[in-house]
Amino acid sequence: MTDPSLSATTGPAAGERTAPGSPSSGPLAGLRVLDLATLFAGPLAATLLGDYGAEVVKVEHPHRPDPSRGHGPAKDGIGLWWKLLGRNKKTLTLDLSHPDGRDVLLRLAAGADVVIENFRPGTLERWGLGWDELSAANPRLVLARVTGFGQFGPYARRPGFGTLAEAMSGFAAITGEPDGPPTLPPFGLADAIAAMATSYAVMAALHGRAATGRGQVIDLALIEPMLTVLGPQPLWYDQLGHIQPRTGNRSANVAPRNTYRTADGSWVAVSASAESVAERVMRLVGRPEVIDEPWFATGAGRARHADELDTAVAGWIARHDRAEVMAAFEKAEAAVAPIYDIREVMADPQYQALGSITEVPDDELGTLRMQNVLFRLSETPGAIRWAGRPHGADTDEVLAALGLTGPEIDGLRAAGAL
């Protein structure tokens, strides 16, 4: 049974309809965030903050919406990726390069806690919205600047995307088969990692503000979080001159570790990072004698004998259906997992117990199923209050809350600022 006190959806439930104008709950309730970014890393960081109660206003150009609205499959002409990325955000149209749009943004920033942007370095400054102007409007503001290569250095002004970070960080060089090309992930890996790093950086900056009373600038380059998650590779190279090669699904550090095909044509993954687990696996597949080999005692030693270990594990698994493999490995307390496609993820009982996929009502498309909030908090849980809203749907509401009258809003729209 699951512990209801650890539910991610206590509070309003993640699938419970909450009007975009309703007050939020969660540990970040009362935090105001302006999301000026496009595509994935910056906007996803704002999404993560919104999931835990922050009031997020998504600022988009009046005629050039966030391109994520048009990425990937759509239903009835409505982009589905945006429904995830834009959840828990109010949507406002504003031309930041227009003098009137600049003035409105400064007024919004005066009452905000966080601004997230991912323009090329110098763009906000060109519009009169750089750190000098923003901090003058609100000395407590935290400005998160997410770019491909950071705010300075020889590549700072290059266009930067997650794919480039996956290439330059060293990730692609070690991914793929030994005799194959470097391999990029088929999803926004670098952007997602950078988004989590950005949301962490925002929390660190806000904690610092609590002590100093002052905001600050966060300079986050997509290439750096990717480099961090690759582990000790710089240290290995620095101390040993070691460059990690491509090893496919194998590990250069431990064995057995691979994907294996079952008798019914399914696939499973086996990991034996710990020696005790490796021992259980080899007993299970009928090769207990290798456990007494001197090389078996270390991960590096087992990795040097991966061919022998893989042959034994693959041969045993190939003679059994996936259900039989899973049952035998679980009984032996050996680490195994089925390799799922998204259909199996959606049906898996562990994900169901955790509430990892949840239902969210949507005025445009009806009930949607999407990933739930990222983690469970026992006292102040997060919630999905609504899915991504139409372009500019909340412009009048946001500006009215700022104190603008109907005629003033109409005038801004007529002038092309909205």
Side-chain angles (χ1 to χ4, degrees):
M1 293 181 63
T2 58
D3 181 348
S5 71
L6 299 181
S7 170
T9 61
T10 306
E16 181 179 323
R17 180 183 296 272
T18 306
S22 301
S24 62
S25 62
L28 301 183
L31 188 73
R32 294 183 175 181
V33 178
L34 298 178
D35 174 8
L36 313 186
T38 57
L39 290 175
F40 305 115
L44 181 56
T47 302
L48 297 175
L49 298 174
D51 283 351
Y52 291 90
E55 179 186 325
V56 182
V57 174
K58 173 72 176 181
V59 180
E60 297 174 88
H61 191 279
H63 310 298
R64 297 189 297 275
D66 188 321
S68 67
R69 290 181 181 270
H71 274 239
K75 181 180 179 182
D76 299 335
I78 300 169
L80 296 175
W81 203 332
W82 169 253
K83 288 297 179 183
L84 174 70
L85 192 63
R87 72 190 193 189
N88 292 335
K89 300 179 184 180
K90 297 178 182 179
T91 59
L92 165 73
T93 58
L94 195 61
D95 184 348
L96 301 182
S97 66
H98 191 289
D100 293 338
R102 169 194 179 274
D103 292 344
V104 171
L105 194 281
L106 286 175
R107 290 180 63 177
L108 287 167
D113 298 286
V114 180
V115 170
I116 300 176
E117 64 97 2
N118 68 341
F119 298 105
R120 287 198 210 181
T123 301
L124 283 186
E125 286 75 8
R126 189 171 69 248
W127 295 337
L129 289 170
W131 177 238
D132 290 344
E133 292 84 1
L134 289 170
S135 61
N138 181 357
R140 292 175 55 79
L141 187 70
V142 170
L143 173 62
R145 314 195 78 166
V146 183
T147 57
F149 305 104
Q151 295 294 311
F152 57 91
Y155 305 159
R157 293 185 179 272
R158 289 184 181 179
F161 297 98
T163 296
L164 309 187
E166 289 148 8
M168 284 187 60
S169 64
F171 171 84
I174 63 171
T175 305
E177 294 300 323
D179 57 351
T183 302
L184 296 166
F187 63 97
L189 177 63
D191 282 285
I193 292 172
M196 295 180 195
T198 301
S199 61
Y200 164 65
V202 167
M203 292 292 96
L206 291 172
H207 186 74
R209 186 183 73 174
T212 67
R214 299 187 306 275
Q216 59 184 299
V217 177
I218 296 165
D219 177 6
L220 189 138
L222 291 179
I223 56 175
E224 291 182 305
M226 278 299 296
L227 184 59
T228 296
V229 301
L230 291 182
Q233 289 190 51
L235 183 61
W236 287 341
Y237 179 74
D238 174 63
Q239 296 296 304
L240 302 171
H242 174 72
I243 300 173
Q244 183 171 328
R246 287 191 290 282
T247 58
N249 290 320
R250 286 182 174 177
S251 168
N253 308 307
V254 296
R257 190 262 196 182
N258 213 327
T259 60
Y260 306 92
R261 189 162 188 161
T262 62
D264 56 353
S266 298
W267 291 84
V268 297
V270 173
S271 176
S273 297
E275 181 185 355
S276 59
V277 175
E279 291 176 1
R280 294 172 201 152
V281 171
M282 299 318 297
R283 289 192 183 99
L284 172 62
V285 302
R287 290 293 307 278
E289 72 280 3
V290 299
I291 296 171
D292 296 324
E293 296 287 346
W295 51 261
F296 195 87
T298 66
R302 295 194 300 276
R304 288 193 294 270
H305 291 79
D307 286 344
E308 179 180 355
L309 299 179
D310 260 352
T311 297
V313 174
W316 186 91
I317 288 176
R319 297 192 296 273
H320 299 82
D321 290 348
R322 187 171 80 175
E324 296 171 334
V325 172
M326 295 299 299
F329 267 72
E330 289 181 19
K331 183 178 180 180
E333 297 185 352
V336 68
I339 293 179
Y340 281 165
D341 62 24
I342 193 59
R343 293 170 297 182
E344 293 168 303
V345 169
M346 301 281 272
D348 182 82
Q350 181 62 32
Y351 283 121
Q352 290 177 353
L354 295 174
S356 305
I357 304 294
T358 192
E359 293 186 348
V360 181
D362 181 69
D363 290 336
E364 293 183 291
L365 296 176
T367 300
L368 309 173
R369 286 193 294 166
M370 64 175 67
Q371 298 96 318
N372 208 336
V373 298
L374 192 58
F375 48 85
R376 286 159 291 283
L377 295 174
S378 62
E379 297 298 326
T380 54
I384 302 172
R385 302 186 297 281
W386 59 84
R389 304 262 293 148
H391 180 228
D394 306 296
T395 298
D396 287 16
E397 177 191 330
V398 171
L399 297 184
L402 194 60
L404 275 67
T405 65
E408 287 175 319
I409 295 171
D410 291 341
L412 288 170
R413 191 168 277 121
L418 303 183

